[in-house]
């Protein structure tokens, strides 16, 4: 768990937590075809997930995007600029493994937090 500031330009979506493993890589692939539209990109891909708050919390928001160096002055159509500083649980891996990565993070967070 780390306290981190993120400056991200990305695309937001909402879906069932159970489908994140298949939905996130598809949205990330669509997003990556548009990365040339983003100014001040660090070229670091990122996915941000709303945490699941309990058994009955079935849907959540997520973003796929790129970290940017400075606050975005212009955001491409259909994208959002997100700036957030808070505590996160993090992991690294391939976007195609997002389902396993997400499950690992949820398990770790349940045990540690």
């Amino acid at each position: 768990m780390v306290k981190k500031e993120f400056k991200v330009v990305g695309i937001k979506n909402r879906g069932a937590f159970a489908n994140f493993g298949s939905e996130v890589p598809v949205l990330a692939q669509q997003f990556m075809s548009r990365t040339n539209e983003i100014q001040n990109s660090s070229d670091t891909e990122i996915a941000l997930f709303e945490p699941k708050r309990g058994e009955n919390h079935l849907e959540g928001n997520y973003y796929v995007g790129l970290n940017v160096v400075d606050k975005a002055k212009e955001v491409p159509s259909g994208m959002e600029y997100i700036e957030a500083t808070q505590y996160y649980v993090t992991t690294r891996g391939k976007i195609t493994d997002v389902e396993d990565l997400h499950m690992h993070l949820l398990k770790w967070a349940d045990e540690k937090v």
Side-chain angles (χ1 to χ4, degrees):
M1 182 174 284
V2 296
K3 186 172 186 177
K4 179 127 175 99
E5 177 184 55
F6 287 100
K7 294 177 183 169
V8 177
V9 173
I11 298 174
K12 178 181 179 180
N13 203 0
R14 181 170 180 80
F17 286 108
N19 297 335
F20 276 15
S22 58
E23 289 180 9
V24 174
V26 170
L27 186 61
Q29 190 173 38
Q30 293 170 2
F31 172 79
M32 293 306 291
S33 70
R34 297 185 58 200
T35 58
N36 62 324
E37 300 174 40
I38 299 170
Q39 298 174 2
N40 300 319
S41 165
S42 70
D43 292 328
T44 302
E45 299 172 45
I46 189 166
L48 299 172
F49 301 89
E50 175 182 354
K52 186 170 174 132
R53 294 183 301 272
E55 197 67 28
N56 294 326
H57 185 206
L58 302 177
E59 291 188 351
N61 297 314
Y62 60 91
Y63 292 86
V64 295
L66 289 176
N67 281 328
V68 292
V69 178
D70 296 311
K71 183 174 181 172
K73 294 176 183 165
E74 292 184 32
V75 178
S77 176
M79 296 186 193
E80 295 181 29
Y81 173 73
I82 307 147
E83 192 171 305
T85 302
Q86 54 188 317
Y87 287 96
Y88 296 91
V89 289
T90 67
T91 191
R92 289 185 180 267
K94 296 180 180 180
I95 194 73
T96 54
D97 298 330
V98 72
E99 183 172 17
D100 291 336
L101 294 168
H102 190 244
M103 292 307 295
H104 174 75
L105 283 176
L106 289 175
K107 183 179 175 186
W108 184 90
D110 282 345
E111 292 172 358
K112 302 292 182 186
V113 178

